[in-house]
Amino acid sequence: MISLRFVFLFLLISFSTSAQKDYKLWLQYNAVNNSAMASEYKSNLKGIVVLGNSETIKVAKKELKTAFLGMLGNVPEIKSELKEENNLIVGAESSLNPEIKKTVSADFDKINNEGFIIKSVSIQNKKQIIITGKNDVAVLYGVFNFLRILQTNKSVKNLNIADSPKTNIRILNHWDNLDRTVERGYAGFSLWNWQKLPDFIDQRYIDYARANASVGINGTVLTNVNANALILTPQYLEKVEALANVFRPYGIKVYLTARFSAPIEIGNLKTADPKDPEVINWWKNKSAEIYKRIPDFGGFLVKANSEGQPGPQNYGRDHVDGANMLADAVAPFGGVIMWRAFVYSEHDANDRAKQAYAEFQPYDGKFKENVIVQVKNGAIDFQPREPFHPLFGAMPKTPLMMEFQITQEYLGFSTHLVFLPKLFQEVLQSDTFQKGKGSTVAKVVDGTLYQNKLTGIAGVANIGNDLNWTGHPFAQANWYGFGRLAWNPYLDSEIIADEWLRCTFSNDENFIKPIKNMMMESREAVVNYMTPLGLHHIMDTGHHYGPGPWVSNLSRPEWNPTYYHKADKNGIGFDRSKSGTNATSQYASEVEKLFDNLETCPEKDLLWFHHVSWDYKLKNGQTLWNGLALKYQEGVNQVAAMQDVWKKTEKYIDSERFNEVGMLLEIQNKEAKWWRDACLLYFQQFSGKELPAGVEKPTQTLDYFKSLKFPFAPGNG
Ligand code: BDP
C-alpha cells in the first residue's frame, strides 16, 4: 500500500515538474551547475537594491527573486541602501541618486526611451552592477536581459551594455476568435477566456506577459484580423480592459482588430462609408470610449477589402480613405492604425503576387502620420520560402511594418520542427536596392532607410492554451526568436537559437552544438520536402495541411495549387519574368534583373519566377526533374538526420520533452515522405520521367494520396 502511494506521489511530482518545464518556456531559471559561474554570480550578487515602487518595478523585483532562487538556490538580500559592494542596483534614471547616476550618465545618450543599460561600475570605490533605463519598462527589459546573461552562463564581471530596440511596435497578432477557436492556430484554443473575464485573471495572462516582456514584445492584438465587431461593445471592452490592466506593468499595450462594418453591425448605422459624417463620429466616439477605459490602448489593426472582409471599397472609397478616417479617430489619444496590405481580388485576373503592390504603391505619402501599412514578408502568403515583398522599399513616404507568421499554417502546423528565425532573417537581410546597394528590408522596417518615425514588426502568434503554449516544444523558439528580431532585426538567427536553447534546455555544449545545427537546418529541410526550388502554395486546400498540388477546382483561380506550379508536359513553374506576368518589374532594377534572368535567378527562387522545362539544366548539371526529385529526397533525409541527432539528447534533458520531440519528429518524418511521394507522383505525370537514383520509391499511389481528406484539420474554422 505504502509503496504504491509512494510510486503515485513520485509520478505526480515528476509529471508536474516535467510539465512545468514545458510551460515555463525560456524562463526556466535552472540551477547554474557550472560551479565556476555559480560562484562568480554569488560573489558578484550579494545584495539587490531596487529603486522605485511602480507596478513595473515590483514585477522586475519579483522576476529577480524567482530567477535567483531557481538559478542560485537563494535570493540575495534585498536592500534599501548601498553600503557594501557587489550589489545589483535596479532602477530608472529618475530614481538614481546623483552619485550613482554619474557612473552611467554618458550611457543614457546611447539609448532610446525603451533602451537599457547594464553596467559594472564603481561607486565610492565599491563595485556594483547597475541596471537602468529612462523609464521602468526599460528597466524591466534590462532585468530580463541580465537574467539571460546568467541563464546562458556568461560572465557578469565587466558588464557594459547599452541596448535599445530598433523598432517601436513589436507586436503579436492573435488570430483569436471570440468563441476561442484560433484561425491557423495549432496549439489549442485561445488564451483569452472571454467568458470568465473580466473577473477571473488566469495566471497564464501574467506568464504570457512575462514571456513577451522578456524578449521586448510591447504590443498584442487580441483578436482575429477576420474581425468580429462584438469586441468593440461595452460587454467585451470591459474584458479587454481587464487584460490591458494585467499587461500594463509589463509594458505591453493592447490593440484590437476593427471590423470596418462595425458602425452598421453594432452602431445601428445604415452605412460604414468612411466619408459619412455619422460614421466618422461613430468611430471617434468609439475610440473615446475605449481610451476612457484603456488610456494606453495601442490602436486598431485592420484587414479591409481582403478575402471578403468589408472595407472602404464597399462604398466606392479607397484604402487611404478608410485608414485615414480611423487614424483621425485615434489620433487625439496617441493611437495608431495598422492597415494591412494583404489584398488580392477574384475580379483581378492579374498574377496574385502583383496585386498588393499594384494597389498600395500608388498610395505612397497619402496616409496620415499615425498609419502604418502592414505588409506580409512575401507577396503571396507565408510560404516556406518567398522572395521578399516588392512593397518593401517601394513606399519611401509611408511607414511599412513587417508581418511574419509565427504560427505554421504552411509549414507543418505545430507538428513540424522548423526554426523560423532563419526564415525571418533571410527576409530581413534581403537587399531591396531601392536606395542603392544595402537597402535591406531590415532598414525599411526599422525606419533607417527613409527616416520613418513609426516602425514595427508583427508576428501572427503560434500561442494557444496547450500546456506548452505552442504545441511543439521547439515552436517556442519561434515566439522567442520573433521577439528578439522585432527588437533587433539585424540579430543573427544562430545566436537566437543558442540563447533559446540555453535558457530552455541546458548549457551543456554537447547538447547545444548538435541541436543548434539541427535547428539551423530545419528551415531548409521543410522547404526541400514541401516546396523546393521556388515552388509555392501547393498545400491541400482550405486547411493547408499536407500536399495538394492536384487541387484545381476552387472557386477562385488563385486559391488553386495548379495556378501556382503550372506544371505541364513542357515543364513547371510560374513565369513572372518579362515573358510572363512581369512581376519582376515591381522590384528595383538590380533585383528585377537578377530575378528576371534565368542565369542569375537564385535557384532557390527558380520556379517562383520562371517556367522551365523538365530537362532544364540546374547549376549542378542535373536536369530539373532529377534535381527536384533529389531535393524532395534531401528534405526527407534531413528530417531523418534530425531524428538521429535528437535521439542522442536523452541524457541532457527531461524525459517528457525528450519524448514529445521524439514523437513529433517521427510524425514529421512520415509527413515529409508523404509530401515527397505525393508531389513527385503528381509531377511525374507531366514529366513522364523515372525517379533518379537515390530517390526512394513511393509506397502508395497518387490516387491514394488524392483520396486523403481532413475535414477536421485544426485552425480552419
Ligand atoms: C491566410 C490565411 C487566412 C488569413 C489570411 C490573412 O489562410 O486564414 O485570414 O491569410 O492573413 O494566410 O488575412
Side-chain angles (χ1 to χ4, degrees), residues 175 183-184 225-226 303 307 340 342 376 381-382 403 409-410 544:
W175 286 358
E183 183 153 342
R184 312 309 178 182
V225 286
N226 296 322
K303 171 176 179 178
E307 299 187 324
R340 297 176 87 224
F342 178 64
K376 289 189 180 183
D381 198 9
F382 301 136
E403 178 175 319
E409 173 180 357
Y410 296 98
H544 300 148

Side-chain angles (χ1 to χ4, degrees), residues 36 152 168 203-204 325 452 458 491 548 562-563 587 636 654 695:
T152 53
N168 318 130
Q203 177 63 32
R204 279 248 179 179
M325 181 273 293
N452 301 113
L491 260 187
T562 50
Y563 170 93
Y587 290 98
V636 171
D654 54 293
V695 178

Side-chain angles (χ1 to χ4, degrees), residues 255-317:
Y255 298 70
L256 293 173
T257 45
R259 184 159 165 92
F260 206 76
S261 50
I264 303 174
E265 287 159 21
I266 59 168
N268 289 320
L269 299 188
K270 292 210 169 52
T271 175
D273 181 348
K275 297 253 166 152
D276 181 289
E278 278 193 275
V279 171
I280 296 174
N281 241 334
W282 188 86
W283 282 109
K284 285 200 165 141
N285 291 336
K286 185 50 77 183
S287 303
E289 179 191 341
I290 297 175
Y291 278 93
K292 196 160 171 228
R293 289 179 179 277
I294 311 168
D296 57 352
F297 179 69
F300 296 119
L301 169 65
V302 192
K303 171 176 179 178
N305 296 120
S306 157
E307 299 187 324
Q309 292 298 304
Q313 292 172 348
N314 300 33
Y315 308 96
R317 316 292 183 190

Side-chain angles (χ1 to χ4, degrees), residues 383-386 410-411 416 418 423 426 521-536 538-539 603-605 628 631-632 634-636 638-639 668 675:
Q383 296 304 295
R385 170 167 279 131
E386 286 191 48
Y410 296 98
L411 289 97
H416 293 208
V418 184
L423 182 166
E426 178 176 290
E521 198 163 318
S522 61
R523 188 299 184 96
E524 210 55 41
V526 74
V527 171
N528 287 339
Y529 64 74
M530 285 188 184
T531 53
L533 298 174
L535 284 174
H536 51 285
I538 56 173
M539 293 74 193
E603 267 178 6
K604 62 183 169 55
D605 299 319
L628 187 73
K631 278 280 174 202
Y632 272 105
E634 188 183 339
V636 171
Q638 283 168 305
V639 177
Q668 188 171 358
W675 266 96

Side-chain angles (χ1 to χ4, degrees), residues 41-71:
Y41 296 157
K42 283 191 182 152
S43 60
N44 284 277
L45 298 165
K46 294 233 164 88
I48 308 178
V49 180
V50 181
L51 305 167
N53 202 23
S54 69
E55 291 306 310
T56 301
I57 290 295
K58 282 185 197 150
V59 156
K61 191 166 167 180
K62 191 161 176 218
E63 196 70 31
L64 283 167
K65 285 188 186 171
T66 312
F68 285 136
L69 194 63
M71 289 191 282

Side-chain angles (χ1 to χ4, degrees), residues 671-714:
E671 296 192 353
K673 289 180 177 157
W674 169 29
W675 266 96
R676 176 198 63 197
D677 294 351
C679 291
L680 290 178
L681 283 171
Y682 171 76
F683 292 132
Q684 194 171 35
Q685 303 177 104
F686 304 101
S687 80
K689 293 172 192 296
E690 291 298 308
L691 290 176
V695 178
E696 283 161 9
K697 296 265 170 307
T699 51
Q700 299 283 356
T701 63
L702 180 57
D703 283 339
Y704 164 81
F705 291 120
K706 284 184 172 177
S707 75
L708 299 175
K709 294 284 173 283
F710 306 94
F712 305 114

Side-chain angles (χ1 to χ4, degrees), residues 118-133:
I118 305 176
K119 196 169 183 182
S120 308
V121 296
S122 165
I123 301 168
Q124 294 185 344
N125 283 327
K126 295 192 178 102
K127 63 181 179 101
Q128 317 282 8
I129 297 171
I130 297 189
I131 302 178
T132 187

